[in-house]
Amino acid sequence: MPHHAHRTIPHAPGLIPVLGHAPALLRDPLGFIGALGRVGGVVRVRLGPRTVCVVTDPALVHTLLVGLAHDCPPQGVRDTLRAAFTAERVASCVPVVEEVTRERVGRWRHGHVIDVAREMNHLALEIVTRALFGARLRADSALAFHRALPDLVRGQLVRSLYPHRALARLPLPVNRGYDAALAVLDRVVDQTLARGGQSNGDGGGDGDGERTLLALLRATPDPATGSPLDEAAVRSEAITMFGAGTEPVATTLTWLFHELLRHPRVCARLMAELDGLPRAAPDGSGDGLTLDALGRLPYTARVLREVTRLHAPHAFLLRTAARDVDLGPYRVPAGTGLLYSLTAPHRDPAHHRDPLRFDPDRWLADRPGGAAAGPHAFLPFGVGEHRCVGETFAWAELAVVAATVLRAWQPLPVAGSHAREVVSGTVQAQGLSMALAARTPGGPAATEAAEATP
C-alpha cells in the first residue's frame, strides 16, 4: 500500500495526564479493550510516556499472529519445546493425567463443598510436575506455590504495562509481591529439576525419566547454536512450562464447572457421553483413558471449545514490531508494542451469534458462525507460526480431567455462589463453590441426559 494511503492510527479517549490510559486498562482490561473497537481497528494507547497500539479488529489480530509472525514475534519463543508435545508424547501423558486427577478427586467426599478454583489450581500443578517432569512436589512446596501464585500473575500483568522498565525496580507492593512469588517459583522449579524422573521410596517421581519433558530439554540441541541446552536454559524453559501449565489451565477448568453448574442439561449430556469411555480398575490396572478414545467424544470437544471461546484464559497479550509493519490501512512503526485480546474476537457478534451465550452446539458444522466461522473466530492458543506449542496436550488434559471428575462426581450448585470474572494476568473465575454428589455410570445424570438429547 503506498505510504500516502496509510490511515492515521486514532488515539483512545480518556487520556489522563502523566498516567495516560494505564488506570483504565488496569481497572477493566476487557471492557477497555472491547470499547476501543468502536474507535478503530488499531488504536493508540498511552501508558505513561509509552505508546502501545491496541489491535481490536479480529481480522487484523489474525494478520498480526500469522502474516506478521516473524516481524512481530512474541517474547520467549523457543522451538525446543515443540518436540515435547508430539501426538505420541501427549498420548503417553494421558494415563498419568488420569491417575493424578483420580488421586485428587479421590480425596473429595459426598456432600462436601469445594472451592473450585483452589482444587483446580492444585490439580493443574500436580499434573505439570508429574505428567511433564516426572516428579512429585513436597506438600509444603505445593502450598507455597499456590499462596504465591496470585502475586505472580498480578505482578506479570502490571509489569507488562509499565511505561519504563525502571519501575519494576521500585519498592512498590506489587513489585515486592512479585519478587517474593518469583523466588517461590524458583524453589519449586529447582526441586522439580532435582527430582524429575527419579523413582524412590517417597514417591519422588514416576520412574520414567527418559520420557519426561525435563529429559527432552536436556537432550535436545538449542536450535540457535546446535549445542545442548545448559542448565540455565533448561531451568528457564521449566519456569515457562510451570507458568503456562498451571494458572491458565486451572482457570479454564474452573470456568468449565461454572458453565456446567449454570447449564445442567449440558452437564448431563456431557456425562452421558463420558460414561461410555473405558475405565481403569481402582488399582489402576486394566484399560484407562487414551488419546484415541478422547478423540471420539464430539460433544465433549464442543463443550471444551465453547468454554475456551467464551473464557479465553489470557486477557491480553503483547508483541513488539521488529520493523515497520502494515496492519490493514495502518502503518505501525518499528519498536511499537502491539497489544491484543483473544477474548475480544471470541465475543465479537460478527463471528459468533449471541456471543455471550454458552452454546456448545454452535460448533456443529451446519450451524451459522460455528465450525465454519473462519480463521478469525477462534484463537484460544494463538494461531500461525507461534501458536502455543502445548495446545494438543492442553486439549487432552482438559478432556481427561472432565472425564475423570464427571464420571465420579455430580457437580451441584451452592446457593449464593457464582464465579466472578477477575482479570489478573488471566481472566480468572473467582469465588465459585460447588457441592459434590457421588455417582456411578448410568446413574440419574446419564438418564437425564439421554432424555434431554434430541
Side-chain angles (χ1 to χ4, degrees):
M1 179 180 295
H3 179 72
H4 62 78
H6 290 141
R7 186 180 302 171
T8 300
I9 301 176
H11 291 268
L15 183 70
I16 297 176
V18 181
L19 298 177
H21 299 95
L25 183 58
L26 289 171
R27 183 172 56 250
D28 181 15
L30 296 180
F32 177 75
I33 293 174
L36 293 181
R38 297 190 293 269
V39 179
V42 178
V43 181
R44 293 184 190 274
V45 168
R46 290 289 299 276
L47 304 177
R50 178 186 180 191
T51 296
V52 172
C53 287
V54 180
V55 186
T56 66
D57 185 327
L60 296 183
V61 171
H62 190 269
T63 298
L64 172 65
L65 300 182
V66 178
L68 301 176
H70 294 287
D71 296 323
C72 305
Q75 295 182 350
V77 171
R78 188 186 287 273
D79 291 337
T80 308
L81 290 177
R82 297 186 188 279
F85 296 105
T86 62
E88 180 183 5
R89 286 188 174 274
V90 172
S92 72
C93 290
V94 166
V96 184
V97 177
E98 182 183 13
E99 178 185 2
V100 173
T101 308
R102 194 189 308 116
E103 289 176 5
R104 186 77 202 176
V105 303
R107 304 167 194 164
W108 298 354
R109 293 294 178 264
H110 178 81
H112 284 194
V113 173
I114 63 170
D115 180 324
V116 180
R118 180 181 180 277
E119 286 295 316
M120 294 305 107
N121 270 292
H122 278 280
L123 176 58
L125 178 62
E126 290 174 27
I127 289 173
V128 167
T129 54
R130 286 175 57 185
L132 296 184
F133 292 95
R136 291 178 187 260
L137 286 180
R138 296 193 307 264
D140 60 333
S141 295
L143 181 60
F145 178 88
H146 292 297
R147 287 175 173 170
L149 195 58
D151 285 334
L152 186 69
V153 296
R154 186 182 306 112
Q156 288 172 332
L157 172 65
V158 174
R159 290 159 74 97
S160 71
L161 299 176
Y162 279 155
H164 195 282
R165 292 180 180 179
L167 292 175
R169 297 193 294 270
L170 296 179
L172 303 173
V174 66
N175 290 338
R176 293 199 303 269
Y178 176 80
D179 291 340
L182 196 59
V184 172
L185 177 58
D186 286 344
R187 291 197 298 272
V188 169
V189 170
D190 287 342
Q191 182 188 136
T192 301
L193 296 181
R195 296 164 67 87
Q198 296 177 2
S199 180
N200 51 48
D202 67 356
D206 62 9
D208 194 10
E210 294 183 358
R211 304 179 67 129
T212 65
L213 175 61
L214 176 58
L216 180 69
L217 288 173
R218 285 174 170 158
T220 302
D222 187 326
T225 65
S227 302
L229 295 177
D230 58 29
E231 281 302 300
V234 169
R235 191 171 181 279
S236 175
E237 297 295 354
I239 289 174
T240 297
M241 290 311 303
F242 267 92
T246 50
E247 215 274 342
V249 172
T251 294
T252 301
L253 288 168
T254 304
W255 283 119
L256 168 65
F257 290 107
H258 162 80
E259 295 295 352
L260 294 181
L261 291 170
R262 293 179 62 240
H263 302 89
R265 288 169 68 90
V266 171
C267 184
R269 188 175 167 189
L270 177 62
M271 286 191 289
E273 181 176 80
L274 294 172
D275 281 345
L277 285 169
R279 289 174 177 266
D283 63 359
S285 63
D287 294 332
L289 296 177
T290 66
L291 192 60
D292 287 342
L294 296 174
R296 296 191 295 271
L297 299 171
Y299 190 67
T300 301
R302 295 202 299 275
V303 169
L304 295 176
R305 193 175 178 88
E306 183 69 348
V307 169
T308 53
R309 179 197 67 82
L310 191 54
H311 304 289
H314 294 288
F316 54 82
L317 297 168
L318 186 68
R319 295 193 176 191
T320 302
R323 64 178 184 84
D324 291 355
V325 295
D326 291 336
L327 275 172
Y330 307 102
R331 168 63 59 88
V332 178
T336 303
L338 289 160
L339 186 146
Y340 62 98
S341 170
L342 296 180
T343 300
H346 292 176
R347 298 181 181 181
D348 187 340
H351 294 292
H352 301 282
R353 181 177 299 174
D354 196 3
L356 298 183
R357 182 167 62 94
F358 183 79
D359 177 17
D361 284 341
R362 77 169 68 242
W363 297 105
L364 290 169
D366 59 352
R367 289 278 294 271
H376 312 150
F378 188 61
L379 308 168
F381 295 93
V383 68
E385 180 73 14
H386 299 297
R387 72 188 303 154
C388 175
V389 297
E391 178 177 358
T392 302
F393 178 81
W395 285 122
E397 180 182 3
L398 294 173
V400 170
V401 172
T404 307
V405 172
L406 294 173
R407 292 187 299 171
W409 298 99
Q410 167 77 56
L412 299 173
V414 174
S417 173
H418 63 279
R420 302 186 309 276
E421 189 174 75
V422 177
V423 177
S424 181
T426 57
V427 187
Q428 298 178 0
Q430 294 187 0
L432 180 65
S433 297
M434 74 179 183
L436 302 168
R439 64 179 298 265
T440 56
T447 303
E448 178 185 343
E451 296 172 352
T453 302

